[in-house]
Amino acid sequence: MAGLFIDVELTDEARSDAELAKKLEEVCPVNIFSAKNGYAEVVEENLDECVLCELCVNAAPAKAVRVVKLYDGTALSR
Ligand code: SF4
């Protein structure tokens, strides 16, 4: 489930990348990612805290992470 304002999408490849999971958990200032058993999980209850800093997008390979702004239909990605 998405937040009210924000959704964060990870590709299956990104989700199962243990290194990336750890990195995402570290960089997000509002704890939207959790690294569990080598998998990256999105913490749904924190989604709307996203400050659109793009640290997650930039920490991941191109196209691996998308931060979707549900309120205007645009997304942060690279
Ligand atoms: S844009 Fe920033 S606050 Fe939002 S999920 Fe990515 S790292 Fe977290």
Side-chain angles (χ1 to χ4, degrees):
M1 225 178 83
L4 271 184
F5 305 109
I6 297 290
D7 193 13
V8 171
E9 299 172 354
L10 295 171
T11 59
D12 289 343
E13 209 178 1
R15 224 175 260 283
S16 57
D17 180 333
E19 288 270 303
L20 181 60
K22 245 190 276 170
K23 215 195 282 181
L24 291 173
E25 190 179 67
E26 274 167 28
V27 297
C28 180
V30 293
N31 302 320
I32 283 173
F33 301 95
S34 157
K36 278 197 191 121
N37 305 321
Y39 284 88
E41 285 179 9
V42 171
V43 181
E44 284 163 16
E45 60 265 35
N46 292 349
L47 276 170
D48 285 333
E49 306 298 322
C50 176
V51 292
L52 305 174
C53 65
E54 294 191 62
L55 290 172
C56 57
V57 171
N58 292 325
K63 299 190 168 70
V65 178
R66 282 180 84 224
V67 178
V68 183
K69 300 185 220 174
L70 298 171
Y71 51 91
D72 71 3
T74 65
L76 304 175
S77 65
R78 69 186 186 96

